[in-house]
Amino acid sequence: MNSQNESTEIVDLNQSQASQNVVGNGNRKTRTTKAHSRAKRVNISRKRNREGQLANVGTSELASHNGSIEVIDVEQVVKDKPVVDLTDESRNDVYVDLTSSPDVQLPHRQSVIRWQLSPGRTNTSELNKNADDIVIVANGSERVVNVSSELSQPLIENIMTCAICMDDFNQIKKAKRQLTSTTCGHVFCNPCITSSLHAQAKCPTCRKRLTKKSLHPIFL
Amino acid sequence: MSGGLPRRIVKETQRLLAEPVPGIKATPHEENARYFDVFVDGPKESPFEKGCFKLELFLPEEYPMSPPKVRFNTKIYHPNIDKLGRICLDILKDKWSPALQIRTVLLSIQALLSAPNPDDPLANDVAELWKTNEAKAIETARQWTHMYAVNKS
């Protein structure tokens, strides 16, 4: 802050409300008279500075009406009620980096599928546990997964078929056709759903309206 | 089976023969695997009960992207089936979906026999009678079933 402000007297807290009004008036005046175009993007320190100068102008105007001079420490007022410039775009410091999320689920899911497919990885050294149990050590904590209960649920490979060509998951994989999902969540192989959309722009399973953009590949 | 037959048709045919739908029999022609002879039993508690209706079903070149063509060969008194055996059924026209199959189409036809819909008629005179004098229409349907659909041999 400038030396003008340092030499000013400190007003007591009861007066700070009144002084704020003065600052408000002064501030409004600057915008109309001085830097109208710059007003939107001033940062806090520059604003404080201008308020400091203009508070004096405002008070001298007031003083001429009241007959006495009040000197206000604008710095103090600003400290009590900090000015947050909502129009300042440089303050956009809260953002989420979607690419660096540590909780990406895909690797976890892939590894679960691998455990299901290879029960031979049973930890045999743990004699007190069932042969169907797998001990998973992650982040220092142990978790026991029962393979037989996981296997009793049908695997996606066994239940998934394309409703159009009626090929199952393994046949589609073998033929190197891309599994494709609609936005309504129904899965087909890519050549089938593409030619179906040529014939009619609807989901073959639920008849929801679809375009080519409603399709996306899925990787299992 | 002919060499150029799509795998889906082969699969459907195999499954139809291996796990037939109760009351429905569909067998492909030897010389044309896209052409099926179909027999549908009249549903219980309908005027078509005890009847066995012969239909023909043809899978066009575009199948399954376009619907199969199905027609009654046996005469039937039904508001949604005309003199020529043509069937008024939405899934055989604009409501067709390639996820539907021969099996589901024939099940729908069987359901149509259970639930005639005179508000969407194909045979106008039949539909008219069905709406004005349902008892008489049902009686006529029963007579026609007995005359044309019951195997007397």
Side-chain angles (χ1 to χ4, degrees), chain B residues 14-36:
Chain B
Q14 282 169 348
R15 272 178 220 179
L16 274 172
L17 297 175
E19 308 151 34
V21 191
I24 294 173
K25 208 175 97 188
T27 37
H29 275 209
E30 275 181 27
E31 66 274 22
N32 184 356
R34 288 178 175 269
Y35 193 93
F36 289 74

Side-chain angles (χ1 to χ4, degrees), chain A residues 5 8-28 50-60 62 66 69-81 83:
Chain A
N5 277 329
T8 54
E9 268 180 53
I10 296 171
V11 280
D12 67 43
L13 284 172
N14 294 335
Q15 286 177 317
S16 68
Q17 189 61 43
S19 64
Q20 216 189 352
N21 292 338
V22 174
V23 172
N25 288 337
N27 200 10
R28 227 176 289 146
R50 224 184 315 135
E51 278 163 1
Q53 289 167 349
L54 276 145
N56 291 336
V57 177
T59 42
S60 60
L62 262 187
N66 296 338
I69 294 172
E70 268 182 62
V71 185
I72 299 141
D73 185 356
V74 177
E75 184 77 17
Q76 183 67 35
V77 173
V78 168
K79 269 179 194 162
D80 290 345
K81 302 245 172 163
V83 178

Side-chain angles (χ1 to χ4, degrees), chain B residues 16-137:
Chain B
L16 274 172
L17 297 175
E19 308 151 34
V21 191
I24 294 173
K25 208 175 97 188
T27 37
H29 275 209
E30 275 181 27
E31 66 274 22
N32 184 356
R34 288 178 175 269
Y35 193 93
F36 289 74
D37 281 328
V38 180
F39 291 93
V40 175
D41 290 344
K44 278 190 179 148
E45 288 164 34
S46 80
F48 312 102
E49 191 177 354
K50 292 179 184 152
C52 179
F53 297 85
K54 185 180 181 291
L55 296 88
E56 54 185 12
L57 181 146
F58 179 70
L59 304 176
E61 185 61 35
E62 303 78 37
Y63 181 84
M65 294 311 161
S66 61
K69 298 188 188 308
V70 197
R71 196 173 81 89
F72 272 80
N73 283 350
T74 307
K75 264 174 86 78
I76 182 167
Y77 194 81
H78 191 289
N80 309 109
I81 302 162
D82 73 0
K83 275 182 210 163
L84 301 172
R86 294 178 298 190
I87 306 163
C88 178
L89 185 62
D90 57 358
I91 60 159
L92 292 176
K93 293 173 181 109
D94 56 312
K95 287 284 162 60
W96 171 253
S97 150
L100 293 169
Q101 304 173 14
I102 299 171
R103 180 186 297 263
T104 49
V105 165
L106 295 178
L107 275 169
S108 295
I109 290 170
Q110 203 179 36
L112 188 67
L113 297 186
S114 290
N117 180 11
D119 293 322
D120 184 21
L122 193 61
N124 283 316
D125 52 331
V126 179
E128 197 55 37
L129 186 64
W130 218 281
K131 281 201 274 193
T132 52
N133 190 347
E134 196 180 337
K136 196 182 174 195

Side-chain angles (χ1 to χ4, degrees), chain A residues 164 166-167 200 204 207, chain B residues 7-8 11 65 95-97:
Chain A
I164 301 173
M166 295 169 72
D167 281 349
Q200 47 176 219
R207 297 204 175 102
Chain B
R7 239 189 9 265
R8 153 145 175 178
K11 281 188 182 187
M65 294 311 161
K95 287 284 162 60
W96 171 253
S97 150

